[in-house]
Amino acid sequence: MDIDVKELSYVYQKGTPFEEQALSNVSLAIPHGKIQAIVGKTGSGKSTLIGLLSGLLRPSSGSITIGDYHVTSKTKKIPFRSKVGVVFQYPEQQLFAETVFKDIAYGPSNQGVSLKGIEDRVQQAIKMVGLDETLLSKSPFGLSGGQMRRVALAGVLAMEPSILILDEPTAGLDRAGSEQLLSLIQSLHEKNQVTIILVTHQMDEVARLADQVLVMDKGESAFYGTPIELFSDKERLREFGLELPTITKLINHLNHRINSPIPTSIFELDQLVAYLEKRRKETENE
Amino acid sequence: MSRIVIGQFMPGNSILHRFDPRAKLLFVFLFFFLIFFVNNISTYLVIYLFVFFCIGLSQIRIRLFLGSIKPVLFIIIFTSILHLVMTKGGTILLTTPFFTVYEEGVRQAAFISSRFLILVVMASLLTFTTSSLDLTDALEQLMGPLRKIRVPVHELALMMSIALRFIPTLWEETEKIKNAQLARGANLESGNIFKRLTAYIPIFIPLFLSSFRRAEELAMAMEARAYRGGIGRTKFRLLEYKRKDYMLIVIFLLLVIGIGWLRS
Ligand SMILES: Nc1ncnc2c1ncn2[C@@H]1O[C@H](COP(=O)(O)OP(=O)(O)OP(=O)(O)O)[C@@H](O)[C@H]1O
Ligand SMILES: [Mg+2]
């Protein structure tokens, strides 16, 4: 399901003294199966955009088209909620059931899936997030923070969404935890062809995962393009208050010392290593 | 999603904002008693004029007062209707097969709803123009003498200020969790009462858990800074009565005299 957002605006508490235009005229197009990153300073409207894309907020103006569904300010019941899975910031805080099984089953049972179907989905989801099945009968509140977050993620995956939205999924995790979660997202994306929308403050994540990136600034779309385009414009990056990804910093650092520069379109360590190997072989042959 | 909480402090610099919170609190408290001596059209007129004068002074938009009346509107309408159909006396204004409306009923309905409205508006005036910090400080000092009969005044005031401080936080938290469960397909809007209550369990449990966690963190933070109750504790912000605060006494006395003279 392709996503097409046209001139989307949102105003909180319209008609009160606390009125706040949180989003103005944002447009984006996400083809099915792509990974879209959304970055921007705090308060720039990222969560608001997510609320709209997940159908929890109704646009003040503009439109959202997801697959065959179309939503404008006049739409009464938003039709695509069940197609879009949202993992909110610190999702472990929404766990509530007495067992991990029941918590993961909450989404699918709300969708009206049969008992047998629910069993299957829960088993699948817990495997997908890399947790042991023996945990299913345990209380979610006795787990570690990282495990709880995976349970919450499994709870969303069990609804089999075709679009998965993640709001800062690695916030508060240590390096190893973030690494695992990112690989998980990557493999989910590769295996199940889900469209992924990732809100993050980590440019390393953008570089590594994203096909497209949207930079938000004061509720407006300040940049929309590929990570390569974004990270090649240092001036604008500074303007947005964003950093370069670690790997791009490394490449720039190396490029200061060598004559023929390494392309800054390399975003993965494996790729960089392969590239350097290749270059070394070439110079040896000469 | 609404962030306006009823009675929320509206920062400003009007004369009402600048009165000493203790003076304001006492004034409103006594005013509530005074209301019960108001019993005819001329006295209600005096009170209405006074209340509108205060609203004007506060420089707060009328719409916000309407907002705080809304939650009690049902009670006001309900009691008015009761008075309309139940109270007998005076000339008959309307007869139907089910009930008769007397002149006295209309009077009572108007008076009772006015009394409610005035109470709510005065209370809102107090909370709109006084920060919760000031309000609890004032309460703590005014209740100070109760310490002699072993009422834990300081602790009560602390509890109140913490509760007030966390209302918006809790509100936000509720919104967040609600959204998360809605995104998981929670159905909060249809079904009978029992169904709806059970539908809210996935929201209440995480909310309780996070409140307990917050409370624990707060307690730890306070202990880490060696907080140990009110004994021997000095105040960072000292309240001080000024000349305009004594003016409130005069205004109140004028109201008392006026109403005592006009009431029937
Ligand atoms: N419920 C609300 N009522 C009123 N204003 C709101 C509400 N939620 C958000 N806002 C305002 O809308 C703007 C955008 O907020 P939003 O939460 O979308 O930012 P964000 O980019 O997600 O920030 P962060 O990185 O901190 O999560 C902010 O100015 C915020 O104050
Ligand atoms: Mg946010």
Side-chain angles (χ1 to χ4, degrees):
Chain A
M1 287 206 278
D2 298 342
I3 303 175
D4 194 18
V5 173
K6 286 220 173 73
E7 295 176 2
L8 194 62
S9 300
Y10 189 79
V11 183
Y12 280 105
Q13 298 173 40
K14 212 171 180 137
T16 71
F18 296 86
E19 188 172 292
E20 171 133 14
Q21 173 109 28
L23 209 64
S24 31
N25 278 318
V26 173
S27 298
L28 59 144
I30 313 171
H32 183 80
K34 292 280 186 235
I35 301 187
Q36 168 78 53
I38 302 177
V39 302
K41 295 193 196 104
T42 164
S44 58
K46 304 182 297 289
S47 297
T48 308
L49 182 55
I50 283 187
L52 287 158
L53 287 174
S54 57
L56 291 166
L57 302 174
R58 181 174 297 105
S60 299
S61 69
S63 71
I64 306 172
T65 313
I66 296 184
D68 297 332
Y69 305 112
H70 189 66
V71 165
T72 65
S73 61
K74 293 190 186 65
T75 311
K76 293 241 163 48
K77 190 156 168 42
I78 298 183
F80 51 67
R81 251 194 216 167
S82 64
K83 303 282 181 235
V84 185
V86 199
V87 180
F88 287 95
Q89 230 176 333
Y90 298 103
E92 56 274 21
Q93 288 172 7
Q94 29 158 314
L95 300 178
F96 70 95
E98 57 272 44
T99 67
V100 170
F101 182 93
K102 282 192 186 163
D103 210 290
I104 300 179
Y106 179 66
S109 67
N110 281 333
Q111 284 176 317
V113 177
S114 71
L115 275 183
K116 181 75 189 65
I118 290 176
E119 278 255 22
D120 291 345
R121 285 193 184 194
V122 173
Q123 298 282 355
Q124 257 177 2
I126 193 114
K127 250 183 245 143
M128 272 196 255
V129 297
L131 287 179
D132 201 77
E133 277 176 45
T134 52
L135 289 183
L136 283 177
S137 57
K138 299 235 164 72
S139 158
F141 303 113
L143 303 179
S144 77
Q147 284 174 321
M148 278 163 91
R149 188 165 298 188
R150 282 160 183 248
V151 171
L153 180 59
V156 174
L157 293 177
M159 299 175 72
E160 301 190 341
S162 19
I163 296 160
L164 183 63
I165 302 182
L166 301 133
D167 196 349
E168 297 190 37
T170 56
L173 290 185
D174 62 8
R175 196 156 174 91
S178 320
E179 189 53 42
Q180 281 173 348
L181 195 66
L182 290 177
S183 327
L184 186 90
I185 294 169
Q186 215 162 13
S187 73
L188 263 176
H189 174 251
E190 276 156 20
K191 273 187 215 140
N192 303 31
Q193 310 297 311
V194 217
T195 307
I196 289 180
I197 300 174
L198 174 74
V199 173
T200 179
H201 285 291
Q202 305 295 323
M203 293 310 122
D204 287 358
E205 294 176 13
V206 176
R208 179 166 152 195
L209 295 174
D211 297 309
Q212 319 184 100
V213 53
L214 169 72
V215 181
M216 300 282 302
D217 189 25
K218 300 191 191 80
E220 291 175 27
S221 151
F223 170 92
Y224 186 46
T226 62
I228 297 176
E229 282 165 359
L230 177 64
F231 296 133
S232 59
D233 194 344
K234 273 196 194 160
E235 280 302 302
R236 290 189 81 182
L237 268 185
R238 193 167 311 132
E239 199 182 301
F240 299 147
L242 301 178
E243 283 208 28
L244 279 175
T246 320
I247 190 151
T248 314
K249 276 190 207 153
L250 174 68
I251 293 174
N252 284 344
H253 194 71
L254 292 174
N255 281 350
H256 275 303
R257 282 147 208 255
I258 52 181
N259 291 329
S260 59
I262 306 168
T264 47
S265 57
I266 295 177
F267 286 137
E268 298 219 30
L269 201 55
D270 298 349
Q271 276 180 356
L272 181 62
V273 172
Y275 174 83
L276 291 177
E277 291 265 320
K278 202 177 101 208
R279 248 174 88 156
R280 199 187 60 195
K281 282 209 187 96
E282 279 169 8
T283 39
E284 273 170 7
N285 289 346
E286 271 163 23
Chain B
M1 283 203 196
S2 141
R3 262 195 200 168
I4 310 179
V5 179
I6 307 294
Q8 186 184 330
F9 175 53
M10 305 279 156
N13 198 28
S14 75
I15 173 104
L16 294 196
H17 285 86
R18 282 177 284 133
F19 277 124
D20 186 285
R22 289 167 299 178
K24 268 190 278 189
L25 195 64
L26 259 182
F27 184 89
V28 172
F29 187 69
L30 293 174
F31 187 85
F32 282 179
F33 279 103
L34 188 64
I35 296 268
F36 288 93
F37 292 94
V38 172
N39 63 354
N40 60 12
I41 293 184
S42 42
T43 42
Y44 267 111
L45 225 55
V46 169
I47 292 291
Y48 265 120
L49 276 177
F50 178 73
V51 169
F52 275 110
F53 181 64
C54 289
I55 292 178
L57 279 185
S58 73
Q59 294 170 0
I60 290 169
R61 280 196 263 174
I62 281 275
R63 191 161 56 193
L64 290 168
F65 290 94
L66 298 183
S68 47
I69 291 170
K70 228 197 235 159
V72 292
L73 202 57
F74 172 75
I75 304 177
I76 293 178
I77 292 175
F78 183 72
T79 47
S80 305
I81 291 177
L82 270 187
H83 272 286
L84 270 183
V85 299
M86 306 288 271
T87 312
K88 297 191 172 64
T91 52
I92 293 174
L93 297 178
L94 181 77
T95 352
T96 70
F98 309 105
F99 59 88
T100 325
V101 177
Y102 294 90
E103 194 188 323
E104 190 58 28
V106 175
R107 258 169 60 92
Q108 283 302 326
F111 285 175
I112 292 290
S113 43
S114 296
R115 198 172 282 173
F116 258 121
L117 283 177
I118 289 163
L119 286 179
V120 172
V121 169
M122 282 308 274
S124 311
L125 263 173
L126 179 67
T127 53
F128 282 163
T129 61
T130 320
S131 75
S132 56
L133 214 58
D134 276 341
L135 210 55
T136 38
D137 265 0
L139 209 63
E140 181 175 355
Q141 292 199 20
L142 288 175
M143 295 198 313
L146 294 181
R147 222 171 279 161
K148 295 226 169 61
I149 53 167
R150 298 192 173 231
V151 177
V153 172
H154 174 78
E155 284 72 14
L156 284 176
L158 182 72
M159 273 159 66
M160 181 171 140
S161 62
I162 290 175
L164 286 170
R165 157 66 186 78
F166 277 98
I167 287 175
T169 315
L170 215 61
W171 187 260
E172 248 169 59
E173 191 96 1
T174 315
E175 283 297 326
K176 249 199 232 155
I177 296 171
K178 196 166 146 190
N179 275 339
Q181 308 302 27
L182 279 175
R184 292 216 274 165
N187 179 3
L188 305 172
E189 269 130 40
S190 57
N192 56 28
I193 279 273
F194 184 71
K195 259 211 180 122
R196 263 190 239 187
L197 280 180
T198 37
Y200 267 94
I201 290 177
I203 292 168
F204 286 141
I205 291 178
L207 197 60
F208 275 128
L209 285 172
S210 79
S211 306
F212 283 129
R213 190 172 48 231
R214 246 181 242 289
E216 217 165 277
E217 277 167 10
L218 183 66
M220 252 197 280
M222 284 167 74
E223 244 161 56
R225 295 195 219 167
Y227 175 84
R228 47 182 177 74
I231 304 147
R233 205 175 162 78
T234 52
K235 289 259 173 209
F236 176 60
R237 296 143 14 96
L238 287 175
L239 294 175
E240 200 183 341
Y241 287 119
K242 302 241 171 58
R243 192 181 299 151
K244 63 173 176 295
D245 299 314
Y246 293 108
M247 280 294 292
L248 283 179
I249 302 179
V250 178
I251 294 172
F252 188 75
L253 285 178
L254 284 178
L255 275 177
V256 171
I257 293 168
I259 283 166
W261 182 45
L262 289 170
R263 77 190 291 264
S264 46

